[in-house]
Amino acid sequence: MNRQALSPKFFIYALSFSLCHGVPGIIPLLPTFQQEFHLNSYEVSNCLAYFSYSALLGTPFAGYFYNKLPKRFFIYFINFLYIAGIIGAALSPTYAVLLCFRIIQGLGSSALNLLVYVLPSEYYSGLDRAKIMGRSIGAIALGLFIMPLGSGYLALFSWRYSLFFLSIPTLFTLLILVYTDLTTKFSHSYTPFTIKQVKEVFSTPFIPVLFLTLSVYGGLDLSVPSLFSLFTAEVHHYTSSTIGIIYSFSNFGMFIGSAYLLARLLQTKHFPRILFCCALCIAGLLIIFTKLSMPFFFLTFLGYFCLAGILNPFINYSISTCLSPALLTIGLTVSATLFRAGQGFGTAFFAFISNTTGYEITFILMGSIYFILALLLIPFIKKQQKKSS
């Protein structure tokens, strides 16, 4: 194999797979952290929230430096920053130190998450772009299956082994980068980062609604699985390995939704109805989640991740198609920033609600919000379909 012989899509898939250890690989470890460091549900959620806060702060800078630094140097640097955070967390003597390294890892994650959507927009167009974005989320879903399963099992011996295990995908990503061709681009997505350009992004039709939907979805993205982990450990006394198994297999739903269903649904006029029905079903399952028996836990989260696998790439694909090529980088930087804001503040908010009112009220609230998200997207989807027909 010759150096730089691979097209960007293979690196995009590897990069997407490596994102799985930022949060999902940590979720099975939350009960272990809670017991070892004597934390309540709000305090242990900081392991996710601090990561998201630093990713939120780092995202605008990542978008800015992406256009200022040589692309290959930038990608190497943020991957090394990412892996330094996870290895430092594995060696942490206290929970406070662990949170500091989670902040470092979050800074690296801010750029990686941005690249998952910027690179397909920069190197591909049309339905190919939607397919690449969908398969990227599918790659994340594969990581969501493999890494929590491994981290949950290794936690039986030591959570430090779990964290070292989670560093492997980033090493593989760096290897793939060596053989990737990043020269031929579909569009030049450079945009000056000015207030005027940001205003232009927000004034683009449909963009405010898409940004709002993405931000709210970000709050649910981490909250649902993390509270599932804490609820099953506290109420049903599940171990980290058991939680990892359920969580891992549930992520087949995300793989099915993103890598298989999304591209097919986009081409059918029934997509709005399908999305609405899926959201209604998942909302109902989340509302009654605390009353379900063990076999239904898996079905609930399989459906939840299936819907998430459709929503996440669809929203980002829609944002990329609404923006002109000149606004792609800054527009996706803003969307990634808002998504991270939703993750950080949403996780903290739902953890607070859970800690004060209990799991049942929290899942009722999250289920209701999921239903509202589908309602927000339906008018946009119909207008897009009408415009393209």
Side-chain angles (χ1 to χ4, degrees), residues 178-208:
V178 174
Y179 298 97
T180 301
D181 178 12
L182 295 175
T183 55
T184 305
K185 298 188 293 183
F186 161 73
S187 65
H188 182 63
S189 60
Y190 173 75
T191 304
F193 275 56
T194 65
I195 298 299
K196 180 181 178 181
Q197 297 288 354
V198 173
K199 288 180 178 178
E200 188 176 347
V201 169
F202 275 95
S203 64
T204 303
F206 305 123
I207 285 294

PDB file of all heavy atoms in Angstrom, residues 178-208:
ATOM      1  N   VAL A 178      -1.842   8.249   8.369  1.00  0.00           N
ATOM      2  CA  VAL A 178      -0.580   8.202   7.630  1.00  0.00           C
ATOM      3  C   VAL A 178      -0.811   7.877   6.156  1.00  0.00           C
ATOM      4  O   VAL A 178      -0.114   8.380   5.273  1.00  0.00           O
ATOM      5  CB  VAL A 178       0.361   7.151   8.272  1.00  0.00           C
ATOM      6  CG1 VAL A 178       1.628   6.976   7.418  1.00  0.00           C
ATOM      7  CG2 VAL A 178       0.731   7.559   9.680  1.00  0.00           C
ATOM      8  N   TYR A 179      -1.830   7.076   5.854  1.00  0.00           N
ATOM      9  CA  TYR A 179      -2.077   6.611   4.487  1.00  0.00           C
ATOM     10  C   TYR A 179      -3.246   7.324   3.807  1.00  0.00           C
ATOM     11  O   TYR A 179      -3.713   6.886   2.760  1.00  0.00           O
ATOM     12  CB  TYR A 179      -2.366   5.103   4.509  1.00  0.00           C
ATOM     13  CG  TYR A 179      -1.214   4.284   5.021  1.00  0.00           C
ATOM     14  CD1 TYR A 179      -1.179   3.866   6.350  1.00  0.00           C
ATOM     15  CD2 TYR A 179      -0.142   3.934   4.198  1.00  0.00           C
ATOM     16  CE1 TYR A 179      -0.124   3.121   6.841  1.00  0.00           C
ATOM     17  CE2 TYR A 179       0.923   3.182   4.670  1.00  0.00           C
ATOM     18  CZ  TYR A 179       0.928   2.788   5.996  1.00  0.00           C
ATOM     19  OH  TYR A 179       1.983   2.046   6.480  1.00  0.00           O
ATOM     20  N   THR A 180      -3.722   8.418   4.378  1.00  0.00           N
ATOM     21  CA  THR A 180      -4.914   9.094   3.852  1.00  0.00           C
ATOM     22  C   THR A 180      -4.554  10.296   2.975  1.00  0.00           C
ATOM     23  O   THR A 180      -3.692  11.106   3.334  1.00  0.00           O
ATOM     24  CB  THR A 180      -5.816   9.570   5.011  1.00  0.00           C
ATOM     25  OG1 THR A 180      -6.198   8.441   5.791  1.00  0.00           O
ATOM     26  CG2 THR A 180      -7.071  10.247   4.484  1.00  0.00           C
ATOM     27  N   ASP A 181      -5.221  10.413   1.858  1.00  0.00           N
ATOM     28  CA  ASP A 181      -5.050  11.542   0.943  1.00  0.00           C
ATOM     29  C   ASP A 181      -6.045  12.638   1.319  1.00  0.00           C
ATOM     30  O   ASP A 181      -7.252  12.448   1.222  1.00  0.00           O
ATOM     31  CB  ASP A 181      -5.297  11.083  -0.492  1.00  0.00           C
ATOM     32  CG  ASP A 181      -5.172  12.225  -1.500  1.00  0.00           C
ATOM     33  OD1 ASP A 181      -4.674  13.299  -1.107  1.00  0.00           O
ATOM     34  OD2 ASP A 181      -5.573  12.032  -2.657  1.00  0.00           O
ATOM     35  N   LEU A 182      -5.536  13.787   1.757  1.00  0.00           N
ATOM     36  CA  LEU A 182      -6.389  14.901   2.159  1.00  0.00           C
ATOM     37  C   LEU A 182      -6.207  16.105   1.233  1.00  0.00           C
ATOM     38  O   LEU A 182      -6.399  17.248   1.638  1.00  0.00           O
ATOM     39  CB  LEU A 182      -6.075  15.314   3.606  1.00  0.00           C
ATOM     40  CG  LEU A 182      -6.375  14.282   4.689  1.00  0.00           C
ATOM     41  CD1 LEU A 182      -5.899  14.768   6.054  1.00  0.00           C
ATOM     42  CD2 LEU A 182      -7.859  13.963   4.738  1.00  0.00           C
ATOM     43  N   THR A 183      -5.852  15.849  -0.017  1.00  0.00           N
ATOM     44  CA  THR A 183      -5.545  16.957  -0.926  1.00  0.00           C
ATOM     45  C   THR A 183      -6.741  17.366  -1.790  1.00  0.00           C
ATOM     46  O   THR A 183      -7.044  18.553  -1.921  1.00  0.00           O
ATOM     47  CB  THR A 183      -4.371  16.579  -1.846  1.00  0.00           C
ATOM     48  OG1 THR A 183      -4.677  15.360  -2.536  1.00  0.00           O
ATOM     49  CG2 THR A 183      -3.107  16.383  -1.022  1.00  0.00           C
ATOM     50  N   THR A 184      -7.447  16.407  -2.381  1.00  0.00           N
ATOM     51  CA  THR A 184      -8.542  16.728  -3.300  1.00  0.00           C
ATOM     52  C   THR A 184      -9.833  16.969  -2.540  1.00  0.00           C
ATOM     53  O   THR A 184     -10.350  16.080  -1.867  1.00  0.00           O
ATOM     54  CB  THR A 184      -8.766  15.585  -4.306  1.00  0.00           C
ATOM     55  OG1 THR A 184      -7.532  15.318  -4.972  1.00  0.00           O
ATOM     56  CG2 THR A 184      -9.831  15.966  -5.321  1.00  0.00           C
ATOM     57  N   LYS A 185     -10.380  18.187  -2.652  1.00  0.00           N
ATOM     58  CA  LYS A 185     -11.573  18.570  -1.902  1.00  0.00           C
ATOM     59  C   LYS A 185     -12.708  18.921  -2.848  1.00  0.00           C
ATOM     60  O   LYS A 185     -12.492  19.446  -3.938  1.00  0.00           O
ATOM     61  CB  LYS A 185     -11.281  19.751  -0.980  1.00  0.00           C
ATOM     62  CG  LYS A 185     -10.230  19.456   0.094  1.00  0.00           C
ATOM     63  CD  LYS A 185     -10.117  20.566   1.101  1.00  0.00           C
ATOM     64  CE  LYS A 185      -9.555  21.840   0.496  1.00  0.00           C
ATOM     65  NZ  LYS A 185      -9.367  22.909   1.493  1.00  0.00           N
ATOM     66  N   PHE A 186     -13.930  18.654  -2.390  1.00  0.00           N
ATOM     67  CA  PHE A 186     -15.117  19.045  -3.155  1.00  0.00           C
ATOM     68  C   PHE A 186     -15.313  20.561  -3.094  1.00  0.00           C
ATOM     69  O   PHE A 186     -15.638  21.208  -4.067  1.00  0.00           O
ATOM     70  CB  PHE A 186     -16.351  18.323  -2.591  1.00  0.00           C
ATOM     71  CG  PHE A 186     -17.656  18.972  -2.986  1.00  0.00           C
ATOM     72  CD1 PHE A 186     -18.134  18.871  -4.290  1.00  0.00           C
ATOM     73  CD2 PHE A 186     -18.402  19.691  -2.070  1.00  0.00           C
ATOM     74  CE1 PHE A 186     -19.323  19.479  -4.659  1.00  0.00           C
ATOM     75  CE2 PHE A 186     -19.587  20.292  -2.421  1.00  0.00           C
ATOM     76  CZ  PHE A 186     -20.054  20.188  -3.732  1.00  0.00           C
ATOM     77  N   SER A 187     -15.133  21.128  -1.925  1.00  0.00           N
ATOM     78  CA  SER A 187     -15.352  22.568  -1.760  1.00  0.00           C
ATOM     79  C   SER A 187     -14.331  23.136  -0.800  1.00  0.00           C
ATOM     80  O   SER A 187     -13.826  22.440   0.079  1.00  0.00           O
ATOM     81  CB  SER A 187     -16.772  22.845  -1.234  1.00  0.00           C
ATOM     82  OG  SER A 187     -16.913  22.323   0.071  1.00  0.00           O
ATOM     83  N   HIS A 188     -14.035  24.405  -0.967  1.00  0.00           N
ATOM     84  CA  HIS A 188     -13.164  25.111  -0.040  1.00  0.00           C
ATOM     85  C   HIS A 188     -14.045  25.760   1.006  1.00  0.00           C
ATOM     86  O   HIS A 188     -14.825  26.650   0.705  1.00  0.00           O
ATOM     87  CB  HIS A 188     -12.353  26.177  -0.774  1.00  0.00           C
ATOM     88  CG  HIS A 188     -11.378  26.919   0.110  1.00  0.00           C
ATOM     89  ND1 HIS A 188     -10.329  26.279   0.737  1.00  0.00           N
ATOM     90  CD2 HIS A 188     -11.313  28.215   0.484  1.00  0.00           C
ATOM     91  CE1 HIS A 188      -9.638  27.170   1.444  1.00  0.00           C
ATOM     92  NE2 HIS A 188     -10.219  28.343   1.306  1.00  0.00           N
ATOM     93  N   SER A 189     -13.945  25.276   2.249  1.00  0.00           N
ATOM     94  CA  SER A 189     -14.903  25.691   3.276  1.00  0.00           C
ATOM     95  C   SER A 189     -14.357  26.754   4.229  1.00  0.00           C
ATOM     96  O   SER A 189     -14.861  26.930   5.320  1.00  0.00           O
ATOM     97  CB  SER A 189     -15.348  24.476   4.088  1.00  0.00           C
ATOM     98  OG  SER A 189     -14.232  23.864   4.716  1.00  0.00           O
ATOM     99  N   TYR A 190     -13.311  27.473   3.802  1.00  0.00           N
ATOM    100  CA  TYR A 190     -12.767  28.505   4.680  1.00  0.00           C
ATOM    101  C   TYR A 190     -13.743  29.661   4.836  1.00  0.00           C
ATOM    102  O   TYR A 190     -14.334  30.137   3.875  1.00  0.00           O
ATOM    103  CB  TYR A 190     -11.441  29.054   4.133  1.00  0.00           C
ATOM    104  CG  TYR A 190     -10.937  30.225   4.927  1.00  0.00           C
ATOM    105  CD1 TYR A 190     -10.362  30.030   6.172  1.00  0.00           C
ATOM    106  CD2 TYR A 190     -11.086  31.528   4.454  1.00  0.00           C
ATOM    107  CE1 TYR A 190      -9.916  31.107   6.921  1.00  0.00           C
ATOM    108  CE2 TYR A 190     -10.647  32.605   5.192  1.00  0.00           C
ATOM    109  CZ  TYR A 190     -10.066  32.389   6.422  1.00  0.00           C
ATOM    110  OH  TYR A 190      -9.639  33.454   7.161  1.00  0.00           O
ATOM    111  N   THR A 191     -13.913  30.107   6.082  1.00  0.00           N
ATOM    112  CA  THR A 191     -14.767  31.247   6.378  1.00  0.00           C
ATOM    113  C   THR A 191     -14.108  32.104   7.454  1.00  0.00           C
ATOM    114  O   THR A 191     -13.681  31.571   8.479  1.00  0.00           O
ATOM    115  CB  THR A 191     -16.142  30.784   6.906  1.00  0.00           C
ATOM    116  OG1 THR A 191     -16.723  29.914   5.949  1.00  0.00           O
ATOM    117  CG2 THR A 191     -17.066  31.960   7.110  1.00  0.00           C
ATOM    118  N   PRO A 192     -13.983  33.417   7.251  1.00  0.00           N
ATOM    119  CA  PRO A 192     -13.471  34.273   8.313  1.00  0.00           C
ATOM    120  C   PRO A 192     -14.397  34.193   9.535  1.00  0.00           C
ATOM    121  O   PRO A 192     -15.612  34.280   9.389  1.00  0.00           O
ATOM    122  CB  PRO A 192     -13.498  35.673   7.687  1.00  0.00           C
ATOM    123  CG  PRO A 192     -13.579  35.446   6.216  1.00  0.00           C
ATOM    124  CD  PRO A 192     -14.334  34.165   6.043  1.00  0.00           C
ATOM    125  N   PHE A 193     -13.816  34.020  10.708  1.00  0.00           N
ATOM    126  CA  PHE A 193     -14.629  33.907  11.920  1.00  0.00           C
ATOM    127  C   PHE A 193     -14.933  35.308  12.452  1.00  0.00           C
ATOM    128  O   PHE A 193     -14.229  35.833  13.310  1.00  0.00           O
ATOM    129  CB  PHE A 193     -13.903  33.063  12.967  1.00  0.00           C
ATOM    130  CG  PHE A 193     -14.131  31.598  12.788  1.00  0.00           C
ATOM    131  CD1 PHE A 193     -13.849  30.962  11.589  1.00  0.00           C
ATOM    132  CD2 PHE A 193     -14.644  30.834  13.818  1.00  0.00           C
ATOM    133  CE1 PHE A 193     -14.067  29.611  11.413  1.00  0.00           C
ATOM    134  CE2 PHE A 193     -14.863  29.479  13.653  1.00  0.00           C
ATOM    135  CZ  PHE A 193     -14.577  28.868  12.463  1.00  0.00           C
ATOM    136  N   THR A 194     -15.981  35.902  11.919  1.00  0.00           N
ATOM    137  CA  THR A 194     -16.393  37.232  12.339  1.00  0.00           C
ATOM    138  C   THR A 194     -17.840  37.196  12.787  1.00  0.00           C
ATOM    139  O   THR A 194     -18.596  36.276  12.477  1.00  0.00           O
ATOM    140  CB  THR A 194     -16.248  38.237  11.176  1.00  0.00           C
ATOM    141  OG1 THR A 194     -17.166  37.858  10.124  1.00  0.00           O
ATOM    142  CG2 THR A 194     -14.834  38.258  10.627  1.00  0.00           C
ATOM    143  N   ILE A 195     -18.238  38.226  13.547  1.00  0.00           N
ATOM    144  CA  ILE A 195     -19.625  38.333  14.011  1.00  0.00           C
ATOM    145  C   ILE A 195     -20.568  38.421  12.820  1.00  0.00           C
ATOM    146  O   ILE A 195     -21.665  37.842  12.824  1.00  0.00           O
ATOM    147  CB  ILE A 195     -19.799  39.560  14.920  1.00  0.00           C
ATOM    148  CG1 ILE A 195     -18.922  39.437  16.176  1.00  0.00           C
ATOM    149  CG2 ILE A 195     -21.256  39.725  15.311  1.00  0.00           C
ATOM    150  CD1 ILE A 195     -19.253  38.240  17.043  1.00  0.00           C
ATOM    151  N   LYS A 196     -20.127  39.096  11.771  1.00  0.00           N
ATOM    152  CA  LYS A 196     -20.950  39.234  10.578  1.00  0.00           C
ATOM    153  C   LYS A 196     -21.243  37.867   9.959  1.00  0.00           C
ATOM    154  O   LYS A 196     -22.375  37.588   9.538  1.00  0.00           O
ATOM    155  CB  LYS A 196     -20.247  40.137   9.565  1.00  0.00           C
ATOM    156  CG  LYS A 196     -21.026  40.343   8.277  1.00  0.00           C
ATOM    157  CD  LYS A 196     -20.270  41.234   7.306  1.00  0.00           C
ATOM    158  CE  LYS A 196     -21.044  41.388   5.997  1.00  0.00           C
ATOM    159  NZ  LYS A 196     -20.293  42.237   5.025  1.00  0.00           N
ATOM    160  N   GLN A 197     -20.235  37.008   9.888  1.00  0.00           N
ATOM    161  CA  GLN A 197     -20.412  35.684   9.318  1.00  0.00           C
ATOM    162  C   GLN A 197     -21.317  34.822  10.198  1.00  0.00           C
ATOM    163  O   GLN A 197     -22.138  34.043   9.691  1.00  0.00           O
ATOM    164  CB  GLN A 197     -19.051  34.998   9.132  1.00  0.00           C
ATOM    165  CG  GLN A 197     -18.126  35.698   8.148  1.00  0.00           C
ATOM    166  CD  GLN A 197     -18.585  35.540   6.706  1.00  0.00           C
ATOM    167  OE1 GLN A 197     -19.526  34.820   6.407  1.00  0.00           O
ATOM    168  NE2 GLN A 197     -17.919  36.236   5.795  1.00  0.00           N
ATOM    169  N   VAL A 198     -21.186  34.945  11.512  1.00  0.00           N
ATOM    170  CA  VAL A 198     -22.052  34.199  12.418  1.00  0.00           C
ATOM    171  C   VAL A 198     -23.506  34.627  12.239  1.00  0.00           C
ATOM    172  O   VAL A 198     -24.420  33.796  12.209  1.00  0.00           O
ATOM    173  CB  VAL A 198     -21.605  34.385  13.882  1.00  0.00           C
ATOM    174  CG1 VAL A 198     -22.611  33.736  14.842  1.00  0.00           C
ATOM    175  CG2 VAL A 198     -20.218  33.792  14.099  1.00  0.00           C
ATOM    176  N   LYS A 199     -23.723  35.935  12.103  1.00  0.00           N
ATOM    177  CA  LYS A 199     -25.082  36.437  11.864  1.00  0.00           C
ATOM    178  C   LYS A 199     -25.637  35.907  10.543  1.00  0.00           C
ATOM    179  O   LYS A 199     -26.828  35.588  10.444  1.00  0.00           O
ATOM    180  CB  LYS A 199     -25.080  37.974  11.848  1.00  0.00           C
ATOM    181  CG  LYS A 199     -24.872  38.609  13.210  1.00  0.00           C
ATOM    182  CD  LYS A 199     -24.892  40.125  13.107  1.00  0.00           C
ATOM    183  CE  LYS A 199     -24.738  40.767  14.471  1.00  0.00           C
ATOM    184  NZ  LYS A 199     -24.718  42.262  14.380  1.00  0.00           N
ATOM    185  N   GLU A 200     -24.761  35.808   9.551  1.00  0.00           N
ATOM    186  CA  GLU A 200     -25.191  35.283   8.258  1.00  0.00           C
ATOM    187  C   GLU A 200     -25.615  33.823   8.372  1.00  0.00           C
ATOM    188  O   GLU A 200     -26.584  33.392   7.728  1.00  0.00           O
ATOM    189  CB  GLU A 200     -24.053  35.424   7.241  1.00  0.00           C
ATOM    190  CG  GLU A 200     -24.473  35.074   5.817  1.00  0.00           C
ATOM    191  CD  GLU A 200     -23.358  35.320   4.814  1.00  0.00           C
ATOM    192  OE1 GLU A 200     -22.358  35.984   5.178  1.00  0.00           O
ATOM    193  OE2 GLU A 200     -23.488  34.852   3.666  1.00  0.00           O
ATOM    194  N   VAL A 201     -24.896  33.064   9.194  1.00  0.00           N
ATOM    195  CA  VAL A 201     -25.268  31.664   9.426  1.00  0.00           C
ATOM    196  C   VAL A 201     -26.653  31.576  10.064  1.00  0.00           C
ATOM    197  O   VAL A 201     -27.526  30.819   9.623  1.00  0.00           O
ATOM    198  CB  VAL A 201     -24.224  30.968  10.323  1.00  0.00           C
ATOM    199  CG1 VAL A 201     -24.743  29.614  10.795  1.00  0.00           C
ATOM    200  CG2 VAL A 201     -22.909  30.781   9.569  1.00  0.00           C
ATOM    201  N   PHE A 202     -26.876  32.385  11.106  1.00  0.00           N
ATOM    202  CA  PHE A 202     -28.154  32.328  11.826  1.00  0.00           C
ATOM    203  C   PHE A 202     -29.313  32.883  10.997  1.00  0.00           C
ATOM    204  O   PHE A 202     -30.464  32.546  11.258  1.00  0.00           O
ATOM    205  CB  PHE A 202     -28.053  33.086  13.152  1.00  0.00           C
ATOM    206  CG  PHE A 202     -27.495  32.260  14.274  1.00  0.00           C
ATOM    207  CD1 PHE A 202     -26.145  32.310  14.584  1.00  0.00           C
ATOM    208  CD2 PHE A 202     -28.314  31.412  15.003  1.00  0.00           C
ATOM    209  CE1 PHE A 202     -25.629  31.545  15.623  1.00  0.00           C
ATOM    210  CE2 PHE A 202     -27.810  30.647  16.034  1.00  0.00           C
ATOM    211  CZ  PHE A 202     -26.452  30.709  16.349  1.00  0.00           C
ATOM    212  N   SER A 203     -29.013  33.721  10.034  1.00  0.00           N
ATOM    213  CA  SER A 203     -30.077  34.266   9.190  1.00  0.00           C
ATOM    214  C   SER A 203     -30.451  33.342   8.037  1.00  0.00           C
ATOM    215  O   SER A 203     -31.411  33.597   7.318  1.00  0.00           O
ATOM    216  CB  SER A 203     -29.655  35.632   8.629  1.00  0.00           C
ATOM    217  OG  SER A 203     -28.525  35.509   7.780  1.00  0.00           O
ATOM    218  N   THR A 204     -29.690  32.254   7.865  1.00  0.00           N
ATOM    219  CA  THR A 204     -30.003  31.276   6.820  1.00  0.00           C
ATOM    220  C   THR A 204     -31.315  30.570   7.157  1.00  0.00           C
ATOM    221  O   THR A 204     -31.513  30.154   8.305  1.00  0.00           O
ATOM    222  CB  THR A 204     -28.875  30.241   6.698  1.00  0.00           C
ATOM    223  OG1 THR A 204     -27.638  30.921   6.430  1.00  0.00           O
ATOM    224  CG2 THR A 204     -29.167  29.255   5.569  1.00  0.00           C
ATOM    225  N   PRO A 205     -32.236  30.430   6.206  1.00  0.00           N
ATOM    226  CA  PRO A 205     -33.520  29.769   6.478  1.00  0.00           C
ATOM    227  C   PRO A 205     -33.351  28.376   7.096  1.00  0.00           C
ATOM    228  O   PRO A 205     -32.467  27.629   6.689  1.00  0.00           O
ATOM    229  CB  PRO A 205     -34.175  29.681   5.096  1.00  0.00           C
ATOM    230  CG  PRO A 205     -33.573  30.815   4.328  1.00  0.00           C
ATOM    231  CD  PRO A 205     -32.161  30.928   4.814  1.00  0.00           C
ATOM    232  N   PHE A 206     -34.182  28.073   8.079  1.00  0.00           N
ATOM    233  CA  PHE A 206     -34.247  26.784   8.782  1.00  0.00           C
ATOM    234  C   PHE A 206     -33.130  26.582   9.800  1.00  0.00           C
ATOM    235  O   PHE A 206     -33.266  25.733  10.693  1.00  0.00           O
ATOM    236  CB  PHE A 206     -34.226  25.595   7.807  1.00  0.00           C
ATOM    237  CG  PHE A 206     -35.276  25.625   6.751  1.00  0.00           C
ATOM    238  CD1 PHE A 206     -34.929  25.593   5.404  1.00  0.00           C
ATOM    239  CD2 PHE A 206     -36.622  25.686   7.081  1.00  0.00           C
ATOM    240  CE1 PHE A 206     -35.903  25.617   4.420  1.00  0.00           C
ATOM    241  CE2 PHE A 206     -37.599  25.713   6.105  1.00  0.00           C
ATOM    242  CZ  PHE A 206     -37.243  25.684   4.770  1.00  0.00           C
ATOM    243  N   ILE A 207     -32.023  27.311   9.684  1.00  0.00           N
ATOM    244  CA  ILE A 207     -30.865  27.055  10.543  1.00  0.00           C
ATOM    245  C   ILE A 207     -31.192  27.225  12.037  1.00  0.00           C
ATOM    246  O   ILE A 207     -30.810  26.373  12.857  1.00  0.00           O
ATOM    247  CB  ILE A 207     -29.671  27.938  10.138  1.00  0.00           C
ATOM    248  CG1 ILE A 207     -29.039  27.396   8.848  1.00  0.00           C
ATOM    249  CG2 ILE A 207     -28.616  28.004  11.239  1.00  0.00           C
ATOM    250  CD1 ILE A 207     -28.397  26.033   8.989  1.00  0.00           C
ATOM    251  N   PRO A 208     -31.887  28.300  12.474  1.00  0.00           N
ATOM    252  CA  PRO A 208     -32.177  28.433  13.916  1.00  0.00           C
ATOM    253  C   PRO A 208     -32.939  27.242  14.491  1.00  0.00           C
ATOM    254  O   PRO A 208     -32.625  26.776  15.590  1.00  0.00           O
ATOM    255  CB  PRO A 208     -33.004  29.716  13.993  1.00  0.00           C
ATOM    256  CG  PRO A 208     -32.572  30.517  12.803  1.00  0.00           C
ATOM    257  CD  PRO A 208     -32.325  29.505  11.729  1.00  0.00           C
TER     258      PRO A 208
END
